Every structure is written in structure tokens, then in C-alpha cells.
Amino acid sequence: MAGVGFALKKVFRGGDSVLGALRGYSLTAVVTEGPMVLMIVLLLTLRALMARDGAVYRTREEFLFLMTYVMIFSLILSNTVLLFVNRFISDCIYQERLQDVLPAFFGVVFFLLAAGAPAALLYLLTLPVDWAVRGAVLTLFCVLLILWIQIAFLSAIKRYEYVLLGFVAGVAGALGLAALLLGLGVAPLPGALWGAALGFTLMLFLYMAQLLAHYPPGRWDLLVFFPALERYRVLVATGLCLALGLYTHNFVFWASAYRDKIYPTGVFCTRYDVPCFFATLTILPMLVQFVVGLETRFEVKNRAYFDAVLYGGRLEEIRAAKQELCTVLYTELAHMMEVQLIVTVAAVTFVGNFLQTVGLDERMAGTYRLLCCGYCLYGFVKCGTVILLYFDDRRGALRASALFLGLSTALSLATLPLDSGWWGIGFLLAGAATALYLMLRIRRYLNELEYHVFCEQPLFAQPQQGVLSRIQERFAGAERESAQRRTLREEDDQ
């Protein structure tokens, strides 16, 4: 949600008053985490509507299973390209090529749907459900794929408030449509799923109207982003590793003997997934604090450093600006971890006991406590990776995300045979090892910042010669020839 930084600067500009700080943190929490909270509210309310309509427990579990799969796999597929998309949009804004943004959006969406929709349909064919359910799930999956990409394009033009308003409208529409369908006698499972699918479709059209209003149309070239994809392909690998790393420990338990089956090919692990869900919520304060620190205090020092580099600052001024940048960054990271440590200790000490009174058994509560620590470290991994990308250390970001993915998978597999009291320890150890690597990598990179800024850049621009660039060039050439032929025919007709 990059656009939130511009509003945060206005909020915090008035001084360090308690009210100003409260407004800033509230804005960040609402904008960055509001959509996730709304999704949770949607799921719980739709389950309640189904129960009111007489749906049995099995049907409500089927609904939760299908919605969870749709969200997880649409996020994994879309997050694979989101880092690249953000970089591409930034380059277009900097180079004043806004006419390429909308064609790139349609191109990215086209290839994501071409990859994701057939795979989703093949999986749905393995489930013993009717076509009304399959159609709703497939529609919802495709719509969510588009929505996650739309959010990235909207945040780039600082339309973050429309993201939240769109989610409110979509959730309200989904609940209203689901209630209408159930009231008309549609079966609970397809009624709730089609309500969600149509509600998110409404959200898609609202977001699309904003994109069309704020980006110039440009030429019709679905491959316009191919040269940039060739240059920044590391970002695609990094996004994939980060997305898989968040869920791979769940997949290990889904494939184990401890899994639950709602369909022959529909698996999950209640004893691990439920503690994961509650533990994930504990890192929200860290993410909010990170956005505030990065987009306000750190960004100011980062801009001051590069202004000194670009606009003739003396060596002493550049070094002083770098020292201030490093000091602020380390201070913000330390403050972020202090806040999260307090939240984690409170979650482990008090919330774990509370969850035992509302349905979690002792072993699930123990898993929750381990995962609270694990997600605390995962939050640092995510934030540290963003910092490396902030400095354009793409190799370091890829190594960190790949290290976390590999360790999370391997250690989860290695600790699976242990007693269930140790569930989650693999995820925790993976987060600890990757966080240590990131701390060392960030410190080393900052120590060598002058080298990366002054010596690592190429002396001359290298033309793109890869396969993707040639494909895009041929496609653009064919489009130009076609346009010329149309122009000649129109002139002949006149």
C-alpha cells in the first residue's frame, strides 16, 4: 500500500502530538489491514447466514474450505508478480510512460488468468460438487486474481482510500446478494459462494473505473511489460518464494497423516491451521509500525541522502546523511521489534489461555504459542526483504526469500514426526535463521552503500536482447504494420 505514505506525512507533519500520532497509526491500520479484517467479517457473516438458513455443519465447513483455498491460491499466484508490478509502475511514473500502465495491467491479468483459471477448473473437476458450486468458485478465483493486481495499480496513484471503500462496498454487496439468493431458495452452499463472487465482481468494476479514470489508455499491447520482466525477473522469483514461504508449512501438514479430508482431494489440518490463523493476527501491529516508520521517518532520511548524492553534496555531507539514514533505519527496526515483542508476549501469555476457553485444546494452544513467535520472526523477514528491495538489493531479497521457503519446508518436514507439542517449531526456526541472515545482509549493504551507489551501476545502458524483448518487439512491429495498413485503407476509401 505504497500510497499511504503521502497521507501519513501530512498527518505527522503537524508535530509529535499524541493525537497526531494516534491519527497516523489509525490511518495506517485501517488502510493496510482493513481489507483483511473485512474479509474475516465476510467469512464469519456468510457462515452465520448459512446457519440461519438451515445449513448443516458439514455444508458450512465446505464453504469455509472452498473460500480458504480460493483466497490462498489466488494470493500465491498474484503475489508472484506483485513485486515486479510495483517496480514496473514506479519506472513508468519516473520515466513519464503512464500510457504503458493500463496495457501492462491487462497483459498481467491476461497471463495470470491463462495460467490460473485452467488449473483451478481442473482441480474443481476432482471435487464431488455440482456445477453451480464449481462456477461460483471459479468465478471468485478469477475475480480475486484481478483484484489483487488492481490494488497494486490503485496504490501507485495514491488511491488507497478507494481500496478500502471498494472492500466495504464489495463485502456489503456480497452479504446482501448472498442473503437475497438464500431468501429466494437457492441452496446454502452455492448461494453463499455466488453472493461472495458477485460482491467481489462489484468491487472489481469499482476499481476498474478508478484505473480507467486515472491512467491514460495507451496502445493495445499486452506484452508491453515483457522487456521490464526480462530485466526484473528476480522480483518474480522473490515474490513466488515469499508467497509460498508463508503457506508451505501448512502444506506440509496438509500432506501428512494428520490431515483432515472434507473431499477426497480436499485436505486441510484443523489442529494446525486454526492456531496459524490466530497467530497470523498477532503481527498486525508490527506491519502497521513498519509502514509508519518506513513511509515517514526513514523515507525522509533516504531522500536526503540521495539528494546529497545527486545534487552536488560534499563528501562530508553525503557521509553525514548516510549516518542519519542508518541510525533512523536501525532505530525504526528496533522499535518495531520492541512493539511486536510486547504483543507476542501478551498473545502467548494471555490470549493462548483465552483461546483454550473458546474451543482450542491444550496442544493447539501450545502450537499457537510457538507460531506466535514464528510469525513475529516472519514479520521481520517480510519487512527486511522490503528494505533490501528499497535499496534495490534484488539478489539479497531473493536469497532471503528462498532461504526462508527452503528452511520452512525442510524444517517443517523434519519436525513433523515429533510430538504435536513441537508443531510450528520448524516455521519458527526458519524465521529465526532468515531474520539473522537479513540483519547481516542489511548491515553489510549499508556499510558498502557508497560502492553500490557509485560503482555498481553500468557505465552505459545495455539494450535488451533477451527472448521476451524480441517477442515484444515483433508483436509491436506487427501491430504498427497493421495500423499502417488500416490507415492506408482509410485514406484510399476517402
Side-chain angles (χ1 to χ4, degrees):
M1 303 287 294
V4 72
F6 297 92
L8 287 178
K9 292 185 182 71
K10 296 178 182 178
V11 172
F12 283 98
R13 193 177 295 156
D16 295 328
S17 66
V18 175
L19 182 59
L22 182 61
R23 285 184 60 212
Y25 283 104
S26 300
L27 171 66
T28 309
V30 169
V31 171
T32 58
E33 310 306 333
M36 187 188 73
V37 174
L38 288 171
M39 292 287 279
I40 295 172
V41 170
L42 174 65
L43 287 176
L44 295 177
T45 309
L46 284 176
R47 278 171 57 88
L49 285 175
M50 294 174 69
R52 188 200 65 178
D53 200 60
V56 298
Y57 178 78
R58 162 79 182 188
T59 301
R60 300 198 301 272
E61 287 297 290
E62 289 176 329
F63 167 77
L64 185 60
F65 162 79
L66 292 169
M67 290 290 291
T68 301
Y69 264 47
V70 164
M71 292 179 188
I72 287 178
F73 289 103
S74 66
L75 281 170
I76 289 176
L77 186 55
S78 61
N79 277 326
T80 301
V81 300
L82 282 182
L83 289 176
F84 162 74
V85 164
N86 289 329
R87 180 57 187 261
F88 178 83
I89 298 172
S90 299
D91 287 352
C92 287
I93 293 173
Y94 178 75
Q95 298 169 3
E96 298 182 351
R97 295 188 295 112
L98 290 181
Q99 70 277 5
D100 290 341
V101 174
L102 269 184
F105 166 77
F106 289 114
V108 170
V109 166
F110 171 79
F111 286 105
L112 281 181
L113 292 177
L121 179 59
L122 288 176
Y123 175 71
L124 288 170
L125 291 175
T126 69
L127 301 182
V129 295
D130 57 38
W131 278 101
V133 173
R134 290 192 182 108
V137 173
L138 183 61
T139 301
L140 182 59
F141 177 76
C142 294
V143 168
L144 285 178
L145 269 182
I146 300 173
L147 281 173
W148 306 141
I149 303 301
Q150 284 180 323
I151 288 173
F153 282 79
L154 283 173
S155 65
I157 53 173
K158 304 182 287 293
R159 308 306 291 178
Y160 53 89
E161 71 276 16
Y162 284 96
V163 172
L164 185 61
L165 291 175
F167 258 95
V168 172
V171 168
L175 294 176
L177 289 167
L180 176 63
L181 291 173
L182 294 176
L184 292 175
V186 179
L189 183 57
L193 289 171
W194 272 113
L198 295 175
F200 283 115
T201 302
L202 170 65
M203 192 189 310
L204 184 151
F205 283 111
L206 292 175
Y207 287 171
M208 199 67 241
Q210 287 296 315
L211 291 177
L212 293 174
H214 289 88
Y215 286 115
R219 56 193 176 90
W220 186 256
D221 185 359
L222 297 180
L223 310 182
V224 68
F225 64 92
F226 268 30
L229 182 61
E230 198 161 56
R231 187 163 60 251
Y232 299 127
R233 58 183 178 273
V234 170
L235 295 179
V236 175
T238 303
L240 177 61
C241 290
L242 281 176
L244 288 176
L246 179 59
Y247 297 109
T248 186
H249 60 121
N250 296 91
F251 297 161
V252 168
F253 283 89
W254 292 3
S256 71
Y258 303 105
R259 67 181 180 270
D260 303 299
K261 284 188 176 183
I262 197 161
Y263 300 119
T265 57
V267 296
F268 57 98
C269 183
T270 302
R271 286 180 288 174
Y272 191 76
D273 294 342
V274 173
C276 272
F277 168 73
F278 288 110
T280 303
L281 300 179
T282 63
I283 66 170
L284 299 186
M286 169 189 283
L287 299 180
V288 170
Q289 176 63 37
F290 176 71
V291 171
V292 171
L294 188 72
E295 293 285 1
T296 56
R297 293 175 281 273
F298 171 71
E299 196 276 337
V300 171
K301 299 302 180 183
N302 184 71
R303 172 62 65 88
Y305 171 78
F306 283 99
D307 282 348
V309 171
L310 294 171
Y311 302 118
R314 294 178 300 168
L315 181 61
E316 293 80 5
E317 295 173 343
I318 293 175
R319 287 177 173 172
K322 174 194 169 181
Q323 185 59 45
E324 291 183 5
L325 181 153
C326 295
T327 300
V328 169
L329 177 59
Y330 293 143
T331 301
E332 290 302 323
L333 286 176
H335 183 50
M336 179 186 74
M337 293 306 296
E338 288 172 0
V339 171
Q340 186 57 37
L341 182 61
I342 295 172
V343 174
T344 300
V345 170
V348 168
T349 307
F350 302 109
V351 180
N353 293 332
F354 169 75
L355 291 176
Q356 286 185 259
T357 66
V358 295
L360 268 67
D361 59 33
E362 184 176 352
R363 290 184 178 273
M364 291 172 70
T367 301
Y368 163 79
R369 295 185 178 97
L370 279 176
L371 287 172
C372 283
C373 300
Y375 277 102
C376 174
L377 293 167
Y378 167 77
F380 184 88
V381 169
K382 183 175 181 179
C383 297
T385 304
V386 171
I387 290 172
L388 289 180
L389 292 175
Y390 211 93
F391 289 111
D392 203 29
D393 183 15
R394 284 170 265 160
R395 291 183 180 178
L398 175 59
R399 290 170 183 170
S401 59
L403 176 65
F404 180 73
L405 171 60
L407 288 178
S408 180
T409 305
L411 293 175
S412 295
L413 286 169
T415 57
L416 186 62
L418 301 178
D419 184 80
S420 60
W422 291 95
W423 285 6
I425 192 66
F427 184 71
L428 189 156
L429 293 175
T434 311
L436 177 61
Y437 168 80
L438 277 166
M439 287 189 290
L440 296 175
R441 180 78 183 191
I442 291 172
R443 182 174 181 178
R444 179 182 174 184
Y445 195 91
L446 290 177
N447 288 339
E448 301 172 350
L449 188 57
E450 289 85 357
Y451 166 76
H452 295 294
V453 172
F454 292 105
C455 304
E456 202 174 47
Q457 308 303 322
L459 291 176
F460 304 99
Q462 298 293 327
Q464 296 292 329
Q465 299 293 336
V467 174
L468 295 179
S469 297
R470 290 196 293 269
I471 292 175
Q472 192 275 334
E473 184 178 350
R474 290 179 181 177
F475 182 84
E479 184 185 18
R480 286 193 297 268
E481 292 178 0
S482 177
Q484 290 174 356
R485 287 195 295 268
R486 286 197 302 269
T487 301
L488 290 174
R489 284 198 298 268
E490 292 173 359
E491 290 176 355
D492 292 339
D493 292 340
Q494 293 176 355

